[in-house]
Amino acid sequence: MTAAPDAPRLLVLRALGLGDLLTGVPALRGIRRAHPDDHLVLALPPALTEAALATGAVDAVLPAEAPDRAVPSLEHWPGPPPRLAVDLHGNGPASRDALAVLRPRRLLAHADPGRPPLWRADEHERERWCRFLGSYGIAADPSDVRLPSPAAPSPAPGAVVVHPGADAAARRWPARRYAEVARRLRDAGQRVVVTGGPGEEALARAVAEPAGIPGPDVLCGRLPFGVLSALVARAALVVSGDTGLAHLAVAHATPSVTLFGPVSPALWGPPRGSRHVALWHPGPPGDPHGTVPDPLLLLIRPAEVTTAALALLPVRPAP
């Protein structure tokens, strides 16, 4: 349901990345159902506008971003104070205060001095925000993650999508290992495409060239979200680290193999089930925003990834 633009406005803050947006979809839909007649505005980076609107829970976007996952200013909010403001950004006073400065009629936040602490460090991200809303009487289902089928055609229907990038080096498995997996999947008769975001052209080539992947199957740069979404929705499989594309595969129920480290899949992983494999070697937690690949991530070997991928794929004859 989409509210009229002149309806009472509700502001939600989650100004993070694509994976954060997609793990927040169950919470956003809970808010939408609880306030069907309000105009729901989501504060997040403008590059994610198309993705936010594709959730079906958001009526409009307030552009908001800050470096290093910091809390952005929201003082460019237009018009009167929102009827309701919801902090889905974090558990500290900075995000709460960014909303409080707008003087909303009601503010929901983890950092509410009038309520007992709710934040649990060992809780999965989807469940965390649904439980948070439940404490305010808003029902949200952590399994409500699916996105509608994209209208755009896929640039590579039925392909295996290999995505070597991640926002932080800590979650970036080495390119040569991705190349080995891609080569083995091609040897098994699969079409493999490599994706990457802006600035990841060299990384994508470092995977594609040793694997023998032709230039047209290197889809690097800022693909429009609708095209990227269609690529993932109609892929045979997605292989990636713990990053936004893994969550997009979950949103489209596309089989996936996700390489975890330093963060456990118990905190950010896919729902349990046969369509998604989370590879993880337990150990001491590390910094998910670190500047070098995490030691736990490096424990994952190409043979382990290839075996998991082939188990999810139909057998195809080599060309």
Side-chain angles (χ1 to χ4, degrees):
M1 179 176 182
T2 301
D6 58 350
R9 290 190 299 170
L10 184 162
L11 178 62
V12 179
L13 172 61
R14 192 164 176 83
L16 299 163
L18 176 62
D20 304 277
L21 168 63
L22 295 175
T23 55
V25 163
L28 289 170
R29 288 184 175 152
I31 297 168
R32 170 85 287 165
R33 286 190 295 269
H35 300 275
D37 299 323
D38 284 15
H39 190 72
L40 196 157
V41 180
L42 178 62
L44 86 172
L48 295 177
T49 296
E50 190 178 356
L53 297 177
T55 67
V58 175
D59 295 309
V61 162
L62 178 71
E65 57 187 331
D68 301 322
R69 299 173 67 86
V71 178
S73 169
L74 303 176
E75 294 188 36
H76 54 297
W77 169 260
R83 189 170 74 89
L84 173 68
V86 183
D87 179 8
L88 298 184
H89 190 91
N91 67 329
S95 51
R96 177 204 63 203
D97 292 349
L99 289 164
V101 75
L102 303 179
R103 303 179 66 84
R105 189 181 308 173
R106 188 180 183 210
L107 172 58
L108 313 185
H110 265 288
D112 183 340
R115 290 165 57 89
L118 287 173
W119 187 273
R120 284 173 34 193
D122 62 347
E123 192 167 28
H124 194 287
E125 186 73 359
R126 289 188 300 271
E127 295 169 359
R128 166 180 293 132
W129 294 109
C130 291
R131 187 173 62 85
F132 162 72
L133 291 176
S135 73
Y136 284 100
I138 297 174
D141 178 0
S143 67
D144 188 9
V145 296
R146 292 291 300 276
L147 292 183
S149 180
S154 168
V160 174
V161 177
V162 173
H163 185 79
D167 286 343
R171 291 177 281 117
R172 225 174 278 146
W173 204 48
R176 66 182 182 277
R177 298 193 190 182
Y178 275 114
E180 184 176 341
V181 172
R183 178 180 54 76
R184 292 182 181 182
L185 294 177
R186 280 170 53 80
D187 289 345
Q190 301 293 328
R191 180 184 179 186
V192 178
V193 300
V194 180
T195 56
E200 293 182 337
E201 291 82 3
L203 174 61
R205 287 195 301 271
V207 174
E209 290 173 2
I213 296 171
D217 283 346
V218 181
L219 306 175
C220 201
R222 192 176 291 281
L223 281 179
F225 177 77
V227 176
L228 180 65
S229 187
L231 173 68
V232 170
R234 300 180 181 101
L237 177 73
V238 172
V239 179
S240 75
D242 174 18
T243 190
L245 219 69
H247 297 286
L248 192 55
V250 169
H252 287 309
T254 298
S256 64
V257 177
T258 307
L259 288 59
F260 280 88
V263 177
S264 165
L267 303 179
W268 281 88
R272 296 183 185 276
S274 59
R275 300 183 69 85
H276 305 290
V277 174
L279 298 180
W280 161 249
H281 291 265
D287 178 8
H289 308 294
T291 57
V292 296
D294 186 79
L296 297 182
L297 180 64
L298 294 179
L299 291 176
I300 301 172
R301 310 305 298 179
E304 188 179 356
V305 179
T306 304
T307 298
L310 290 174
L312 291 172
L313 287 166
V315 177
R316 295 183 181 178

